[in-house]
């Protein structure tokens, strides 16, 4: 461990977290005070709350917390950019030697942060917080999460199993992350690509005490698609393979139909024709949809639109 402690910034994305912030801020503040007392981090370490265009009093709550202690600082985005955009806004706007990202509901175990920092001092630039069980999840979420990890692995996309966005990153790892210019964000898939020394800490995820989840099914599905489409062209290869199989089946059907006609054993009717047309027509629409999603991603990437816009940057300590 260095003789001079490193400055730590705990980045906390917030969207409509008015109810959870007071208790979460107290827990994180007490933890940071303890780490400073143990000389694990420097005395100028701080907690940065990122207001992701909340429609409640989240930003007012952050401003109030800043008035209570110099340890609390804040960033407010001009509108709601989503969790991934808010996370990048905190990492790229705040200044520190090492960063830890954690959600405002504190379902991830904040008590693992000192262990993460200790691993950083041991030479790890990235430390992933991984769940050792998913007992607090519903059966549906556990099942779909397991299938998602298996699917990505089959497609050659590597992610850390049972890891979301609770992680530690060194300043040089954050600088490397900044070189990735994707608009369609899937940060947990990009981080392993950085290649820096990494480690893991394991914890049991807690039940949410305040508010409701900011990742319902309607947001999880697009995130899952980003996790596949941003790192793999396997769906397109599947379309090509299925198209070839469909063509082969069509040729076989044509030969069969010709033989039936030649032997004069055909029966007038339209059922078989309708079934074939519907089957291959539906496949075409399916594959056109997959290709269209890829084209849509290409369009968004070529526009180079910002993934976040900072409206208020209060990460510098007041004089």
């Amino acid at each position: 461990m260095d003789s001079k402690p490193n400055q730590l910034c705990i980045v906390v994305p917030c969207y409509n977290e008015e109810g959870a912030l007071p208790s979460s801020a107290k827990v994180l503040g007490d933890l940071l005070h303890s780490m400073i007392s143990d000389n694990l981090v420097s005395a100028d370490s701080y907690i940065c709350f990122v207001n992701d265009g909340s429609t409640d009093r989240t930003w007012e709550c952050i401003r109030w917390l800043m008035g209570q202690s110099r340890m609390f600082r804040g960033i407010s985005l001009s509108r709601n950019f989503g969790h991934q955009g808010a996370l990048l806004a905190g990492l790229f706007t705040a200044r520190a030697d090492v960063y830890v990202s954690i959600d405002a509901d504190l379902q991830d175990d904040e008590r693992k942060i000192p262990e993460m920092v200790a691993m950083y001092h041991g030479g790890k630039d990235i430390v992933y917080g991984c769940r050792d069980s998913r007992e607090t999840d519903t059966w549906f979420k556990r099942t779909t999460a397991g299938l998602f990890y298996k699917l990505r692995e089959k497609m050659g996309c590597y992610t850390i199993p049972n890891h979301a966005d609770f992680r530690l990153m060194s300043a040089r790892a954050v600088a490397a992350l900044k070189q990735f210019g994707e608009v369609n964000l899937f940060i947990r898939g990009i981080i392993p690509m950085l290649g820096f020394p990494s480690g893991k800490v394991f914890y049991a995820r807690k039940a949410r005490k305040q508010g409701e989840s900011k990742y319902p099914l309607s947001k999880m599905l697009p995130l899952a698609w980003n996790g596949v489409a941003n790192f793999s062209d396997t769906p397109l290869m599947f379309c090509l393979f299925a198209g070839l199989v469909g063509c082969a089946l069509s040729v076989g059907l044509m030969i069969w139909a010709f033989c039936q006609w030649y032997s004069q054993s055909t029966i007038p009717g339209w059922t078989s024709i309708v079934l074939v047309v519907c089957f291959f027509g539906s496949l075409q629409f399916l594959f056109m949809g997959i290709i269209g999603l890829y084209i849509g991603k290409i369009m968004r990437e070529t526009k180079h639109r910002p993934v976040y816009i900072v409206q208020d940057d209060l990460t510098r300590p007041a004089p």
Side-chain angles (χ1 to χ4, degrees), residues 186-262:
F186 189 68
I187 299 175
R188 67 190 69 173
I190 297 176
I191 300 297
M193 299 175 63
L194 300 180
F196 290 110
S198 62
K200 300 177 184 178
V201 297
F202 295 91
Y203 66 97
R205 189 172 173 85
K206 297 173 288 187
R208 186 181 177 94
K209 296 180 180 179
Q210 298 283 346
E212 58 185 21
S213 173
K214 303 305 183 294
Y215 262 114
L217 184 62
S218 59
K219 289 187 177 181
M220 289 173 60
L221 290 178
L223 182 66
W225 170 248
N226 278 342
V228 173
N230 288 13
F231 299 92
S232 174
D233 59 0
T234 302
L236 294 176
M237 297 301 296
F238 172 77
C239 292
L240 175 62
F241 175 76
L244 293 174
V245 172
C247 289
L249 290 175
S250 299
V251 171
L253 287 172
M254 291 172 62
I255 295 174
W256 173 81
F258 178 79
C259 292
Q260 291 293 99
W261 171 81
Y262 185 78

Side-chain angles (χ1 to χ4, degrees), residues 7-318:
Q7 183 184 32
L8 169 68
C9 173
I10 301 177
V11 177
V12 187
C14 306
Y15 177 68
N16 290 347
E17 296 288 0
E18 176 185 0
L21 269 182
S23 59
S24 297
K26 183 179 187 309
V27 171
L28 291 175
D30 291 343
L31 176 68
L32 192 54
H33 272 299
S34 175
M35 295 174 66
I36 293 172
S37 299
D38 293 339
N39 206 37
L40 195 58
V41 297
S42 65
D44 58 351
S45 297
Y46 61 98
I47 301 163
C48 179
F49 297 102
V50 183
N51 175 42
D52 185 23
S54 300
T55 56
D56 63 0
R57 295 178 54 83
T58 295
W59 182 236
E60 287 81 354
C61 185
I62 294 172
R63 295 291 298 266
W64 181 83
L65 288 170
M66 293 176 61
Q68 303 304 304
S69 172
R70 292 165 57 91
M71 182 177 292
F72 300 120
R73 303 179 194 176
I75 297 171
S76 186
L77 305 186
S78 60
R79 62 173 177 84
N80 178 244
F81 285 88
H83 181 273
Q84 303 287 277
L87 178 57
L88 287 186
L91 292 174
F92 295 164
T93 305
R95 295 291 180 267
D97 300 314
V98 58
Y99 302 80
V100 170
S101 57
I102 188 170
D103 290 344
D105 54 25
L106 295 189
Q107 286 186 270
D108 300 313
D109 192 352
E110 74 286 343
R111 295 171 297 180
K112 291 292 181 177
I113 294 178
E115 184 178 342
M116 288 178 163
V117 174
M119 294 181 69
Y120 162 76
H121 289 302
K124 304 298 184 184
D125 284 275
I126 303 170
V127 182
Y128 302 100
C130 302
R131 300 173 60 177
D132 54 14
S133 71
R134 303 188 71 96
E135 294 179 356
T136 57
D137 287 346
T138 62
W139 174 88
F140 176 78
K141 192 168 184 179
R142 287 196 304 269
T143 303
T144 53
L147 291 175
F148 174 64
Y149 287 121
K150 291 179 181 179
L151 176 64
R152 282 182 52 81
E153 185 178 350
K154 293 292 184 182
M155 292 184 177
C157 311
Y158 179 69
T159 53
I160 307 299
N162 296 320
H163 165 71
D165 290 300
F166 179 39
R167 72 177 70 87
L168 174 146
M169 297 183 68
S170 66
R172 70 171 181 173
V174 171
L177 176 62
K178 201 170 186 178
Q179 298 179 45
F180 287 76
E182 279 97 334
V183 174
N184 302 283
L185 293 172
F186 189 68
I187 299 175
R188 67 190 69 173
I190 297 176
I191 300 297
M193 299 175 63
L194 300 180
F196 290 110
S198 62
K200 300 177 184 178
V201 297
F202 295 91
Y203 66 97
R205 189 172 173 85
K206 297 173 288 187
R208 186 181 177 94
K209 296 180 180 179
Q210 298 283 346
E212 58 185 21
S213 173
K214 303 305 183 294
Y215 262 114
L217 184 62
S218 59
K219 289 187 177 181
M220 289 173 60
L221 290 178
L223 182 66
W225 170 248
N226 278 342
V228 173
N230 288 13
F231 299 92
S232 174
D233 59 0
T234 302
L236 294 176
M237 297 301 296
F238 172 77
C239 292
L240 175 62
F241 175 76
L244 293 174
V245 172
C247 289
L249 290 175
S250 299
V251 171
L253 287 172
M254 291 172 62
I255 295 174
W256 173 81
F258 178 79
C259 292
Q260 291 293 99
W261 171 81
Y262 185 78
S263 63
Q264 297 182 351
S265 60
T266 56
I267 300 175
W270 55 269
T271 304
S272 59
I273 295 176
V274 170
L275 289 175
V276 170
V277 171
C278 290
F279 175 72
F280 288 107
S282 63
L283 280 182
Q284 287 179 340
F285 279 114
L286 172 64
F287 299 155
M288 288 173 61
I290 294 176
I291 295 171
L293 289 173
Y294 272 96
I295 293 174
K297 284 183 170 293
I298 295 171
M299 180 192 71
R300 287 190 291 272
E301 293 292 343
T302 57
K303 290 179 181 295
H304 300 293
R305 290 174 176 170
V307 296
Y308 64 87
I309 297 175
V310 175
Q311 179 171 293
D312 294 304
D313 178 9
L314 303 180
T315 57
R316 305 298 181 268

